[in-house]
Amino acid sequence: AADVTGGGRSMTGRVDYSYDTNNFFDSQLKKDLFQQAVDSILSRMGDDLSAIMPSGGNTWIADFVHPGTGESQTVANLQVSANEIVIFAGGRELGTTLAVGGPGGFQATCTVVSFCDLVATRGELGAKTGASDPPATDFGPWGGSVSFDVTTDFHFSQSTDDLGTQQSDFLSVAIHEVSHLLGFGTSRAWTTYVSSGNFNGPASRLANGNQSVPLSGGSSHWASGTKSDGRDAALSPSLTSGTRKLLTPL
């Protein structure tokens, strides 16, 4: 998911608000906008992710950051359908940070080895990271979590007509963080393509005029000012208040 070009089935995002303990998503509008952000990304990523259906001696534990507390949270034997990503969403105080998001981890016990491989890679062979495997070129997460700052003045609307100059656009921030959950700047597949402060993933180079893409410090975002198709790229490090940044070809 860090650098795919399509070709598989449409993926879906199942958002779970059961750990939204601070009631950040207190309206259907907020939930609808977050689902819109999730769908806008997954609709561009054709992939075939295997289901995770534990049974018998094949069990697993999903590990993720609790969106309401920032502590580690686990869920035993989470069932994940084929081509589905599970996202635990909520809010907490994050200081000057608008939101944080990333993929979850896991522990697996298997009587059939293929089940452990399935939990780790969702059937994506390029996601294997064993000692004898080549560098990862794909990413098959079960999902992860996203948390938004509860003190930020977010703009919750599909329209930008009334976006205040001091407001942060929620849709833009949600798209950005879900992208990190899907491996942008966070997965081993991403790291495979990072070299000397640039990203060299083949799909990204293609979208950037066959040029590598400069990265910001830390190598988890495009460099500040990066543009794609004449627009500011959504995955640059910051969002200017009063503006909206949606996905670009890059």
Side-chain angles (χ1 to χ4, degrees), residues 172-222:
S172 301
V173 176
I175 286 173
H176 185 109
E177 297 306 330
V178 173
S179 296
H180 284 314
L181 185 152
L182 291 171
F184 191 105
T186 58
S187 69
R188 292 183 179 179
W190 172 270
T191 304
T192 294
Y193 292 114
V194 173
S195 176
S196 302
N198 293 282
F199 188 73
N200 293 286
S204 298
R205 288 181 62 95
L206 184 64
N208 195 47
N210 291 319
Q211 300 292 319
S212 59
V213 188
L215 298 172
S216 66
S219 298
S220 59
H221 296 91
W222 305 135

Side-chain angles (χ1 to χ4, degrees), residues 85 100 145 208 226-227 234:
I85 297 290
V100 292
S145 67
N208 195 47
T226 298
K227 293 186 179 296

Side-chain angles (χ1 to χ4, degrees), residues 125-173:
L125 295 180
K128 287 191 173 184
T129 55
S132 62
D133 297 316
T137 56
D138 206 344
F139 185 47
W142 61 263
S145 67
V146 177
S147 185
F148 297 88
D149 180 54
V150 296
T151 65
T152 294
D153 182 12
F154 282 113
H155 170 73
F156 294 101
S157 177
Q158 290 188 348
S159 170
T160 58
D161 291 344
D162 57 347
L163 173 56
T165 58
Q166 300 302 311
Q167 286 187 304
S168 297
D169 182 54
F170 175 77
L171 186 60
S172 301
V173 176

Side-chain angles (χ1 to χ4, degrees), residues 44 86 103 238 249:
R44 298 182 180 214
V86 179
S238 61

Side-chain angles (χ1 to χ4, degrees), residues 27-130:
S27 71
Q28 192 59 46
L29 171 62
K30 293 180 181 180
K31 293 179 179 180
D32 288 345
L33 283 171
F34 187 65
Q35 190 69 56
Q36 180 180 335
V38 173
D39 294 345
S40 69
I41 300 171
L42 294 181
S43 66
R44 298 182 180 214
M45 292 186 171
D47 219 339
D48 291 295
L49 302 181
S50 300
I52 303 177
M53 295 295 171
S55 64
N58 295 312
T59 63
W60 78 295
I61 298 173
D63 183 1
F64 56 94
V65 176
H66 189 304
T69 67
E71 302 296 326
S72 178
Q73 179 67 44
T74 60
V75 174
N77 291 325
L78 180 69
Q79 295 198 1
V80 185
S81 299
N83 304 313
E84 179 183 64
I85 297 290
V86 179
I87 301 172
F88 294 98
R92 66 180 189 273
E93 287 195 24
L94 296 170
T96 59
T97 301
L98 298 178
V100 292
F106 66 90
Q107 304 168 47
T109 301
C110 45
T111 55
V112 179
V113 174
S114 59
F115 178 79
C116 286
D117 286 341
L118 186 150
V119 172
T121 68
R122 301 293 301 277
E124 300 298 314
L125 295 180
K128 287 191 173 184
T129 55

